[in-house]
Each structure stands twice: as structure tokens, then as C-alpha cells.
Amino acid sequence: MSPMPSTLIAFLGACTLVAASPGPSTVLIIKQSLRSRRSGFLTVLGNETGVFVWGLVAAFGLTALLTASEVAYDVMRVVGAVVLVAFGVQALRQARRGKDGTVDEGWAGGEKSGWAAYRGGLLLNLANPKAAVFAMSFLPQFVPDGAPHLPTMVGLAALWALYEIGYYGLYVWFVGRMRTLLSRAGVRRRLEQVSGGVLLLLGVRLALEN
């Protein structure tokens, strides 16, 4: 039994609210979109690969192990905090290099930067224990009574990831349209500083959570 149209509409509405809530992934996607649409979109693909992975983990009931084990959750929380702080420091360093008139070639065009953008989006998502716990609590709400649990959950996870690709793709497009303004040295440096500061604060907050 597949989800009813009304269930799918409710699910997509909930996905919109989830995607619209600002978080580390949103900051990273916008930051990377300032470099190029390619980097921004590959960051989106990496992030949504992580969303789908957590959806699969939730479908198989494995995220229950994470919530049941305080040690496992704390390990992931610390790893996630380290990743956020690392991204924040990187952004601040790039802002400083921009001030000096230098360019960080590691994020410029090319195969290396494409993989780095995808990997960054994926790593940021997978290192977030809240994403795992949220997937476990979010997806089961939209499994209709009598529907086969596993295939329905997998289908919803795929739909969630695909929907967010489209949603965040609008962010990438919008930043691309504004790139002439946003790419001015002073504006871009300020945005790098803001994004770096936000990621640092999010990392510290995650590390200090009980």
C-alpha cells in the first residue's frame, strides 16, 4: 500500500518546513554557492545523500541504537562539533585570504573542488547526530496504517532527499543570480566571516549540549 495523496501532501509540507529551518547545511550551501553554482549544487547533492542515508538507517531501525546508547550519541555529537568548528575555521581563513587578495584554489573550479563540495555537504550531514534522531522520529509519522514499513520508509526517505534537492537548488540559483553583487571582494569576505562565525557557534553549542 502506497501513501495516500493527502499523506504525501502533508509529508511534502513538513519537508518544506524542515528545509526552511536554518541550520549548518543551509549555511554551507549558501557559502559554497558564493563560489560557483556547481559547488553549491554539489554541496546540496552531498547533503541530500546524507539525508537519504539517515532515512535508510531509520527505516532499518538502527537509529534507535544511537538514541539508546548515550556513549554513541556523545561520540557523534563531539565528532559533529569538530566538523562544524573545522568548517567555521576554514571559512574564516578563506575570508582572511580574500582580504589579502589571494584565492583558495582548493575551492576553485575543477574536479578536486567538485569532490570537496560534495564531500563537505555529505560529511556535515552525516556528522550531525540530530539528523539521525530526527529522521527516526520524522519519517514514521507518514507511514499509513497497514502499509509495509520498510519499503514505505525507504520511499519516503528518497522523496525527502529529492524534494530537498529541488528546494535547496533554488538557494543555489538565487545566490547565482545575485553573484555579481555578492562576489564583490568586501561583500564576499563579510559573508565568509558571517558563515564562519555561525558554523563556529553551532559547533560550540553542539559540543556543550548535555
Side-chain angles (χ1 to χ4, degrees), residues 192-210:
E192 291 276 14
Q193 290 171 341
V194 170
S195 63
V198 170
L199 290 169
L200 272 174
L201 288 174
L202 289 171
V204 171
R205 187 179 72 174
L206 183 60
L208 296 177
E209 282 183 354
N210 294 323

Side-chain angles (χ1 to χ4, degrees), residues 178-192:
M178 297 289 291
R179 199 176 177 204
T180 301
L181 171 63
L182 298 176
S183 293
R184 293 176 183 174
V187 175
R188 179 168 170 174
R189 185 170 67 250
R190 182 64 63 186
L191 289 171
E192 291 276 14

Side-chain angles (χ1 to χ4, degrees), residues 37 91 158:
R37 285 183 176 174

Side-chain angles (χ1 to χ4, degrees), residues 9-207:
I9 292 173
F11 177 69
L12 293 177
C15 288
T16 302
L17 294 176
V18 171
S21 302
S25 294
T26 305
V27 175
L28 185 64
I29 289 166
I30 293 174
K31 172 182 174 296
Q32 289 300 94
S33 298
L34 288 170
R35 302 190 174 282
S36 70
R37 285 183 176 174
R38 180 173 181 268
S39 290
F41 189 68
L42 285 170
T43 303
V44 171
L45 290 181
N47 183 71
E48 299 315 312
T49 300
V51 167
F52 182 63
V53 167
W54 285 132
L56 288 179
V57 171
F60 284 94
L62 299 179
T63 43
L65 299 177
L66 181 63
T67 56
S69 173
E70 185 176 347
V71 173
Y73 184 87
D74 284 344
V75 168
M76 275 204 66
R77 180 172 56 80
V78 171
V79 170
V82 169
V83 170
L84 283 169
V85 169
F87 276 115
V89 170
Q90 182 186 55
L92 293 174
R93 288 180 60 195
Q94 288 166 352
R96 184 174 181 82
R97 288 174 182 174
K99 183 177 181 179
D100 296 336
T102 58
V103 177
D104 186 353
E105 296 296 338
W107 292 96
E111 198 67 34
K112 179 180 177 181
S113 67
W115 166 242
Y118 176 85
R119 183 183 59 203
L122 176 62
L123 179 62
L124 192 63
N125 192 284
L126 291 183
N128 185 1
K130 291 184 177 180
V133 175
F134 180 78
M136 183 183 69
S137 61
F138 177 60
L139 293 176
Q141 298 180 51
F142 298 95
V143 177
D145 293 336
H149 182 81
L150 180 59
T152 303
M153 286 271 283
V154 172
L156 288 173
L159 180 59
W160 184 13
L162 289 173
Y163 181 80
E164 285 198 349
I165 288 174
Y167 183 92
Y168 287 124
L170 294 176
Y171 282 40
V172 176
W173 175 84
F174 179 76
V175 173
R177 294 283 293 180
M178 297 289 291
R179 199 176 177 204
T180 301
L181 171 63
L182 298 176
S183 293
R184 293 176 183 174
V187 175
R188 179 168 170 174
R189 185 170 67 250
R190 182 64 63 186
L191 289 171
E192 291 276 14
Q193 290 171 341
V194 170
S195 63
V198 170
L199 290 169
L200 272 174
L201 288 174
L202 289 171
V204 171
R205 187 179 72 174
L206 183 60

